[in-house]
Amino acid sequence: MNQQSPIKSDAAAHSYIGQSVPRREDPRLLDGQGRFIDNLKLPDMAHAALLRSPYAHARIISVATKEASAVPGVIGILTGEDIKDKLGHIKPNWIAGQDIKIPPHPVLATEKVHYVGDAVAFVVAETREAAEDALQLIEVDYEILDAVIDEEAALSSPTQIHDTVENNLAGKPLMAWGDYRKAAEEANQIISLKLINNRLIPSPMEPRAILADFDPYDEKLELYLPTQVPHLHRRWLSDTLGWPEHKIRILVPDVGGGFGAKMHLYVEDILTAYAAKHFGRPVKWTEKRSESHLATHHGRAHTQYVDLAVKKNGQVLGMKVKLFANMGAYLSNMATGVPSVNCTYFATGSYAIANYFAETNLVLTNTVPVDAYRGAGRPEATYLIERAMDKVAEVLKLDPMEVRRKNIVTQFPHSFFDSGSFLQSMEKAAELIDYKGFRDLQHNYRKQGRYIGLGLINYTESCGMAPSEMLGRLGFDRGGYESAEIRVSPDGKITLFTGSTPQGHGHATSFAQILATEFELPLSDIEVKSGDTDAIPIGVGTYNSRSMPVGGTAAKICAEKVLKKAKKYAALLLKCDVDQVQYEQGKFSTLQDDTKTIPFGTVARLAAVPHQKPEGETPGLDHIYIHDPYGMSSPNGSHAVIVEVDIETGLTTILRYVAVDDAGVLINPQLAEGQIHGGVVQGIGQALFEETLYDADGQLISGSLLDYALPKSDRLPSFETAFLSTPTKTNPLGVKGIGEAGTIAAPPAIVSAVCDALKPFGIQHLDMPLTPPRIWAAIQHARQTEGATT
Amino acid sequence: METHFVRLTVNGKEYQAEVEARKLLVHFLRDDLNITSTNIGCDTSQCGACTIELDGKSSKACTMLAVQAHGRDIRTTATTDDPILNSLKQSFQADHALQCGYCTPGMVMRSRELLAQNPTPTEDEIRDALHGNICRCTGYHNIVKAVSNAAASLQKKEDAA
Ligand code: FES
Ligand code: FES
């Protein structure tokens, strides 16, 4: 099991930072009392169901709802024709390039459907059963058109999916630094590879569920929405519905996992809200798992071509990347930026590669839209560069670690990275996995006819995209900030309202740790609230591993400001100048005399009942602070894996998994470690199990959990984790993000290990997922081909 | 629509209702009885989020009809008087074996059955027992650890008694 648990604390006695405090969220969840949206009911609530296109590409000739409307219990049915003049379109939030062509995305299809799962009609009924029954009776006449599935083939396909997007190419953003052409001339060799980054279905265990209530007198919408970004969702809903933002309240109770998939605008968000107003009833829509496969936006889906200009000694002088990023049928929220910024910007990984050129083809296809999924571009980038490093080692007959060592970034601050322990984490992972001793071990196994392999990779990423001005330059229509509001009750108890919005992260605990540390008060004096746009002043949300670096920092600075004001009130009670006031362990005293103390609560009471007031001060200690960071921080780490491949069946077993991660200061090490475990398993899912398959007609073959293999307990090991700590200077907590590290690191580590095990067969690379049939076929193929040594 | 009379016990409390023949047990519990201590994570019986205990055996409430539960005794994770469950809940929290908590009711109920049958499971036995319960958040590491620690603390209590 866990050999190097970080779960201990050397923090100072009064500090909760660095302590593995048990989560306050847990008891209610363990008792099954979670406040998930599908658990909620409102009086007179109706149920909705969505009719989806069964075809990947088809023209709608007619939609007939008469028979369906007659089903007992049906309240009404909305079609594309009904709403097309009343609602705007779903629009992307990130337009990462000058000439991006945005195809129209109506809330319900009118003329054409563009993927299996595309929305056609919305039924509202008294019960979920009646709504489902009615779906069966809606008659839609389609003229079926040819479908385009593959992102590379789509560019030369005679089928054009949207009239306005020629060759199905929505854009071709470029990125470059240095001079790749010159590097290629100076290089001893160009090493090329092609990689497929497999399409993934994010699969949070809680399917999306939405509950809308519209008050006709206040003309106000209350929308329970499982969103990572409530304030952004409010804006997008307002834009699409055409209703003013202050008349929309987004409420986010417990959310059962998000992983990026719950931060995009979906048609169901709009339809449920609209239906509540239109039919004058609260409306609930709950996604079924198979709908989650068909309509919750997918992740990854790249074809990547890479050229490396290398010297004989393994130094990489330059890199050229050509990406074909599958966008699916429409441009989803962040879809254009994920490949063209997040992936290409980080495609040089942890390495100093001076000359770089990248071209990203943003390609529309008749598939589920693809958008940010845990890691969002960084997994695609890290996989690319780490597979490339292995290939360089292979071609030049060098040790893979040596090639990495030769190119790794060691000087900080680097132009991309504020700080890091890139080399140290690699050495640490090598030591923990016994890199030196491994070849002997491998040799011994081989003598017994067993095939083990080792993979050791490095990753870095940047979290908390900032500053806001840069987001503007990148075409990303949001800010890089986060909010904190601290309200101090007259009894001195504290409530934090944060724009960071958890889906299982444990913010109610970790944010309380930050405030309890600042205020030097017991944890139980601090309450944390999130996920209510009426209660929280302004906010961005949770993604990009930004909650702690941005939201946590906002909370910390806000607390400092509250204390600063509190000191002024304390000075009145202590009858001294404010600069003579000190604060320790929840009490104020003077620098001269720390025996006479006044508890925080007494000062809070005075501020709330201000019979005395510091000059020029307002009553109360409440404060709002919005932190707009000037820069990002770069967590890093190295993951090392040993696998065994059963060459008779192709089955891969993970024997050891070592994760060394550096996310700076950890607020709650146990929660940080949990993020690593969970992320790593999602990454292992991509590497070994998860395969999203379409047939040539665009039918999603992996349309349920029967056909799409999520990682399960019996195919996984326990993990060995270790943490390094290089605090960032870009925020006063010294924290970096950790939520995405595992999904970024695991795929290349696993694939590298499997390919190492298969080296005797001359197999250098296999595309993910490395399922037994795929490995088995490769071994059979190798055995029939010359060069196999076994 | 044809309905049937169903009487059953959930967490020690008796309920009776007229139920549509086609209604799944999990929908009956959640929609009709307002018992939401069991979740729905899939529609193909893969995820285990709906796991309950039916007459002492863990079962997926999405794979049976409500009418089939007539006369049966059901327990969910909302049960508070079961020593094995309580021990599991304690170690799930101590070992951070839940993040979003959506899989948790099912995980806990399946683990309870395991510990009732095998009070000293090995890591492999735990992993094997839980393979019908999907967790997308924790990577299972801490769940396995928590079940193992719950078993150990139950053993300790037993030895002390
Ligand atoms: S909901 Fe019952 S197994 Fe998934
Ligand atoms: S804790 Fe989220 S699915 Fe298990």
Side-chain angles (χ1 to χ4, degrees):
Chain A
M1 297 268 289
N2 182 27
Q3 293 178 351
Q4 298 242 343
S5 178
I7 300 165
K8 58 178 185 295
S9 172
D10 48 10
H14 67 268
S15 172
Y16 292 96
I17 306 275
Q19 301 224 30
S20 291
V21 173
R23 299 200 321 170
R24 43 174 69 166
E25 292 89 341
D26 291 356
R28 75 161 185 275
L29 294 167
L30 282 159
D31 282 348
Q33 304 305 310
R35 296 186 280 261
F36 299 107
I37 293 171
D38 194 48
N39 295 352
L40 307 179
K41 278 185 181 173
L42 292 173
D44 212 23
M45 181 176 86
H47 298 262
L50 185 72
L51 183 70
R52 299 183 184 282
S53 166
Y55 302 112
H57 195 194
R59 201 171 297 286
I60 298 177
I61 311 290
S62 63
V63 181
T65 57
K66 197 158 166 232
E67 223 185 310
S69 304
V71 169
V74 168
I75 296 163
I77 299 176
L78 300 171
T79 66
E81 289 301 321
D82 296 333
I83 61 166
K84 72 172 188 211
D85 299 328
K86 306 199 172 84
L87 295 174
H89 283 183
I90 303 277
K91 297 207 185 85
N93 182 247
W94 194 351
I95 301 167
Q98 300 292 322
D99 308 307
I100 306 281
K101 299 194 183 60
I102 304 169
H105 184 189
V107 174
L108 287 170
T110 46
E111 285 156 30
K112 270 170 71 187
V113 285
H114 297 103
Y115 68 100
V116 173
D118 210 350
V120 177
F122 196 63
V123 178
V124 177
E126 299 293 343
T127 63
R128 74 165 85 221
E129 289 81 4
E132 297 282 336
D133 287 348
L135 284 190
Q136 316 291 325
L137 297 174
I138 299 175
E139 276 177 43
V140 187
D141 260 352
Y142 292 103
E143 176 197 336
I144 300 168
L145 305 169
D146 286 340
V148 184
I149 307 306
D150 180 79
E151 58 265 18
E152 226 183 314
L155 292 179
S156 51
S157 167
T159 304
Q160 187 167 315
I161 301 171
H162 297 278
D163 293 345
T164 50
V165 186
E166 234 175 280
N167 301 322
N168 303 314
L169 181 66
K172 196 197 276 197
L174 306 176
M175 175 159 319
W177 57 79
D179 183 347
Y180 175 77
R181 224 172 302 176
K182 196 155 151 266
E185 278 164 21
E186 284 166 13
N188 296 113
Q189 203 170 343
I190 305 291
I191 294 174
S192 304
L193 61 161
K194 176 189 177 185
L195 301 164
I196 309 279
N197 207 286
N198 44 326
R199 176 186 281 258
L200 301 175
I201 300 176
S203 310
M205 286 323 293
E206 178 206 30
R208 288 182 291 136
I210 304 165
L211 174 57
D213 191 14
F214 189 83
D215 179 334
Y217 300 103
D218 286 350
E219 294 192 311
K220 180 138 185 176
L221 172 73
E222 291 207 339
L223 190 69
Y224 293 87
L225 194 69
T227 170
Q228 304 172 215
V229 289
H231 288 81
L232 300 185
H233 250 110
R234 184 178 64 181
R235 170 151 59 91
W236 303 332
L237 277 148
S238 166
D239 287 347
T240 313
L241 288 162
W243 305 350
E245 264 198 74
H246 72 300
K247 293 289 190 184
I248 298 174
R249 178 184 187 188
I250 308 284
L251 289 148
V252 191
D254 286 327
V255 179
F259 316 121
K262 287 181 181 162
M263 66 167 166
H264 321 313
L265 179 66
Y266 290 97
V267 296
E268 296 87 352
D269 308 345
I270 303 294
L271 287 166
T272 312
Y274 179 79
K277 179 177 181 190
H278 185 76
F279 295 112
R281 299 271 299 268
V283 176
K284 186 198 271 182
W285 173 80
T286 302
E287 181 182 63
K288 294 201 281 293
R289 176 58 55 190
S290 45
E291 288 185 286
S292 174
H293 287 231
L294 281 180
T296 292
H297 296 176
H298 293 174
R300 318 285 189 255
H302 283 192
T303 301
Q304 310 174 326
Y305 290 89
V306 190
D307 286 342
L308 291 143
V310 295
K311 297 225 304 220
K312 267 199 206 89
N313 66 1
Q315 194 196 342
V316 181
L317 300 178
M319 181 159 108
K320 190 167 95 176
V321 171
K322 188 170 190 171
L323 290 187
F324 295 88
N326 200 322
M327 298 280 99
Y330 305 103
L331 295 183
S332 177
N333 203 276
M334 291 171 57
T336 60
V338 169
S340 70
V341 178
N342 290 11
C343 179
T344 58
Y345 191 71
F346 289 98
T348 52
S350 314
Y351 310 101
I353 300 178
N355 303 289
Y356 177 69
F357 178 82
E359 168 192 308
T360 307
N361 294 275
L362 304 167
V363 189
L364 292 156
T365 62
N366 294 114
T367 61
V368 175
V370 178
D371 204 332
Y373 162 58
R374 199 171 189 175
R378 279 80 48 91
E380 297 91 315
T382 306
Y383 186 71
L384 183 160
I385 187 66
E386 292 299 325
R387 292 308 296 140
M389 286 289 156
D390 279 354
K391 176 103 185 207
V392 171
E394 179 74 36
V395 171
L396 299 178
K397 303 203 171 3
L398 296 170
D399 174 69
M401 235 184 111
E402 201 39 54
V403 173
R404 288 174 166 85
R405 208 178 270 120
K406 190 141 277 143
N407 292 290
I408 204 160
V409 172
T410 50
Q411 297 296 319
F412 300 97
H414 171 270
S415 51
F416 300 168
F417 313 119
D418 69 295
S419 61
S421 56
F422 294 11
L423 187 59
Q424 295 89 319
S425 74
M426 181 166 76
E427 304 294 0
K428 177 92 183 161
E431 177 200 318
L432 291 174
I433 202 96
D434 189 19
Y435 192 87
K436 284 207 188 91
F438 178 74
R439 294 299 159 202
D440 284 345
L441 186 71
Q442 190 177 40
H443 189 70
N444 290 337
Y445 267 77
R446 289 225 176 119
K447 281 203 293 208
Q448 304 163 41
R450 293 173 68 182
Y451 291 79
I452 62 170
L454 182 142
L456 195 165
I457 65 89
N458 302 309
Y459 77 87
T460 180
E461 57 157 324
S462 281
C463 54
M465 230 176 160
S468 293
E469 294 79 0
M470 184 193 76
L471 274 70
R473 282 197 297 277
L474 292 172
F476 203 1
D477 186 19
R478 60 179 74 172
Y481 60 85
E482 196 52 273
S483 65
E485 177 176 5
I486 288 175
R487 294 189 201 161
V488 182
S489 333
D491 63 356
K493 306 293 189 234
I494 288 162
T495 308
L496 168 72
F497 294 79
T498 168
S500 292
T501 310
Q503 311 94 50
H505 302 77
H507 287 175
T509 306
S510 52
F511 278 74
Q513 288 179 251
I514 295 173
L515 286 204
T517 302
E518 283 306 311
F519 284 104
E520 303 184 44
L521 289 171
L523 272 175
S524 55
D525 283 10
I526 319 284
E527 184 95 352
V528 177
K529 299 270 184 216
S530 59
D532 178 351
T533 56
D534 270 9
I536 292 147
I538 188 174
V540 177
T542 291
Y543 57 92
N544 188 214
S545 304
R546 69 193 298 280
S547 288
M548 275 306 143
V550 190
T553 298
K556 179 189 159 74
I557 296 176
C558 192
E560 287 169 2
K561 300 204 182 259
V562 169
L563 272 176
K564 198 168 164 205
K565 185 173 180 187
K567 276 189 181 163
K568 293 187 190 166
Y569 274 99
L572 296 178
L573 296 175
L574 290 164
K575 301 190 182 9
C576 67
D577 281 350
V578 65
D579 52 15
Q580 297 301 302
V581 178
Q582 60 175 355
Y583 184 66
E584 233 178 40
Q585 304 206 13
K587 297 187 183 78
F588 297 92
S589 59
T590 62
L591 289 172
Q592 292 76 20
D593 176 9
D594 62 2
T595 57
K596 186 177 164 230
T597 61
I598 297 175
F600 181 75
T602 306
V603 173
R605 182 106 187 13
L606 174 64
V609 189
H611 294 167
Q612 298 179 68
K613 248 189 328 191
E615 217 182 293
E617 268 306 344
T618 50
L621 296 178
D622 296 4
H623 193 80
I624 295 175
Y625 178 74
I626 294 149
H627 178 60
D628 197 12
Y630 66 88
M632 303 184 253
S633 63
S634 45
N636 71 276
S638 305
H639 288 201
V641 186
I642 297 176
V643 300
E644 176 168 9
V645 181
D646 179 339
I647 60 158
E648 298 308 322
T649 61
L651 184 75
T652 299
T653 305
I654 301 169
L655 303 180
R656 286 185 69 198
Y657 195 110
V658 169
V660 179
D661 296 280
D662 185 343
V665 173
L666 303 179
I667 305 294
N668 184 321
Q670 193 180 37
L671 301 196
E673 194 190 29
Q675 287 295 320
I676 294 296
H677 293 158
V680 162
V681 166
Q682 284 184 8
I684 293 172
Q686 170 165 32
L688 293 181
F689 307 119
E690 295 179 35
E691 180 155 43
T692 311
L693 277 179
Y694 277 97
D695 72 8
D697 296 332
Q699 291 297 330
L700 181 63
I701 309 289
S702 42
S704 79
L705 285 183
L706 272 175
D707 324 287
Y708 185 78
L710 292 180
K712 296 188 178 182
S713 55
D714 58 343
R715 299 293 313 137
L716 293 163
S718 285
F719 302 102
E720 302 161 49
T721 52
F723 285 89
L724 302 176
S725 182
T726 310
T728 180
K729 292 198 178 68
T730 60
N731 67 61
L733 287 166
V735 297
K736 301 175 176 182
I738 193 134
E740 296 164 294
T743 40
I744 295 172
I750 298 281
V751 174
S752 179
V754 171
C755 292
D756 184 46
L758 296 177
K759 219 172 254 175
F761 298 94
I763 296 168
Q764 288 183 11
H765 176 74
L766 290 173
D767 286 318
M768 302 183 288
L770 304 179
T771 55
R774 191 168 286 186
I775 291 178
W776 186 84
I779 293 171
Q780 299 315 307
H781 179 79
R783 277 178 163 165
Q784 286 156 15
T785 315
E786 266 186 319
T789 54
T790 50
Chain B
M1 203 56 71
E2 199 189 336
T3 63
H4 296 266
F5 175 72
V6 171
R7 178 192 301 137
L8 43 67
T9 312
V10 186
N11 298 329
K13 198 169 153 200
E14 197 182 280
Y15 296 86
Q16 27 188 305
E18 281 293 326
V19 183
E20 258 186 57
R22 64 173 172 173
K23 188 166 253 181
L24 295 173
L25 176 60
V26 74
H27 284 145
F28 176 61
L29 291 172
R30 293 173 50 82
D31 294 352
D32 296 7
L33 304 185
N34 289 320
I35 295 166
T36 52
S37 49
T38 180
N39 292 330
I40 302 174
C42 73
D43 42 17
T44 52
S45 208
Q46 304 293 297
C47 77
C50 62
T51 307
I52 54 158
E53 203 179 83
L54 190 71
D55 293 339
K57 268 184 64 77
S58 75
S59 309
K60 292 179 173 176
C62 73
T63 55
M64 61 186 291
L65 298 169
V67 292
Q68 292 174 296
H70 180 60
R72 317 283 290 265
D73 186 20
I74 289 173
R75 284 210 288 187
T76 72
T77 187
T79 313
T80 51
D81 59 357
D82 179 80
I84 301 183
L85 264 186
N86 290 345
S87 172
L88 279 164
K89 288 179 187 179
Q90 264 169 27
S91 52
F92 265 60
Q93 184 178 24
D95 292 324
H96 185 37
L98 61 152
Q99 290 181 27
C100 78
Y102 199 77
C103 70
T104 309
M107 280 291 175
V108 169
M109 293 315 286
R110 178 68 190 111
S111 304
R112 200 211 90 87
E113 184 186 40
L114 169 70
L115 295 191
Q117 290 168 352
N118 177 0
T120 54
T122 61
E123 175 173 346
D124 280 352
E125 286 169 337
I126 297 170
R127 286 187 176 276
D128 212 44
L130 295 178
H131 83 272
N133 292 71
I134 299 176
C135 175
R136 192 60 158 163
C137 299
T138 65
Y140 306 102
H141 177 112
N142 284 343
I143 293 177
V144 173
K145 189 166 149 190
V147 174
S148 174
N149 284 338
S153 83
L154 284 163
Q155 277 309 107
K156 222 190 257 165
K157 272 186 207 144
E158 197 156 293
D159 294 347

